[in-house]
Amino acid sequence: MADIRPLTPLRYDLTRVDLAKVVAPPYDVISPEQRAELATRDPHNVVKLILPEGEGDTKYAHAAEIYAAWRKEGILVRDDEPAFYRYDQTFVPPGCSKEIARTGLLGLVKVVPLDKGIVLPHERTLSGPREDRFKLFTSTKTNFSPGFRL
């Protein structure tokens, strides 16, 4: 059985930002044009963290700088008490006309070796995106794109 626990995440301070202006789709479905549009919605749009500007590996350092600044400014705050967070998502998949709604739970899951069969990989990912997300995580020490698990 998976070991799950509540977490104390960083989140936007909703007294300082309009949530509708700072959220973005998953990083891997955002086109360059959409990224530019999202970035103009609000100076604190998450796209600046999940798809940082810059050439080569400098973009990861740039994301870390932005992230640190937002924390210092109080744009991102940490909750005082650990909790599980309900996650509701409504979307229309590409090539489909029907809207899908799903509800999830955000929490911590203990990392265990895959051969234990407790937590299974959610998809087969390509090495490029895996390396990109790992570099972003290493630079910021933060997971900006939690995986959706069943």
Side-chain angles (χ1 to χ4, degrees):
M1 176 179 287
D3 181 3
I4 62 171
R5 307 258 169 114
L7 71 157
T8 52
L10 281 170
R11 60 173 177 75
Y12 281 106
D13 178 347
L14 298 181
T15 67
R16 310 223 23 222
V17 298
D18 176 353
L19 190 60
K21 292 181 179 180
V22 296
V23 296
Y27 80 96
D28 57 349
V29 300
I30 299 173
S31 69
E33 297 78 23
Q34 187 179 26
R35 191 221 175 272
E37 189 274 322
L38 289 164
T40 63
R41 284 187 189 176
D42 186 282
H44 302 104
N45 190 288
V46 72
V47 77
K48 294 180 178 184
L49 297 175
I50 63 174
L51 285 174
E53 293 180 319
E55 295 299 319
D57 287 354
T58 62
K59 63 185 171 188
Y60 306 112
H62 186 65
E65 290 168 6
I66 293 170
Y67 175 59
W70 291 3
R71 289 190 67 187
K72 185 175 181 179
E73 293 170 37
I75 299 300
L76 296 173
V77 294
R78 188 170 301 281
D79 286 347
D80 294 328
E81 297 292 324
F84 290 104
Y85 291 78
R86 181 179 165 148
Y87 179 76
D88 293 299
Q89 184 179 47
T90 305
F91 61 98
V92 177
C96 186
S97 60
K98 184 179 177 188
E99 186 174 84
I100 294 178
R102 63 184 179 184
T103 299
L105 183 74
L106 289 174
L108 299 173
V109 179
K110 183 177 181 179
V111 176
V112 294
L114 290 177
D115 65 357
K116 298 284 185 192
I118 295 171
V119 177
L120 304 175
H122 74 289
E123 63 185 46
R124 294 181 185 194
T125 56
L126 301 173
S127 61
R130 267 197 324 262
E131 181 180 344
D132 171 64
R133 295 295 94 180
F134 182 73
K135 286 180 178 181
L136 182 60
F137 174 78
T138 302
S139 181
T140 62
K141 307 292 188 262
T142 303
N143 180 4
F144 297 119
S145 304
F148 192 88
R149 309 288 190 253
L150 299 176

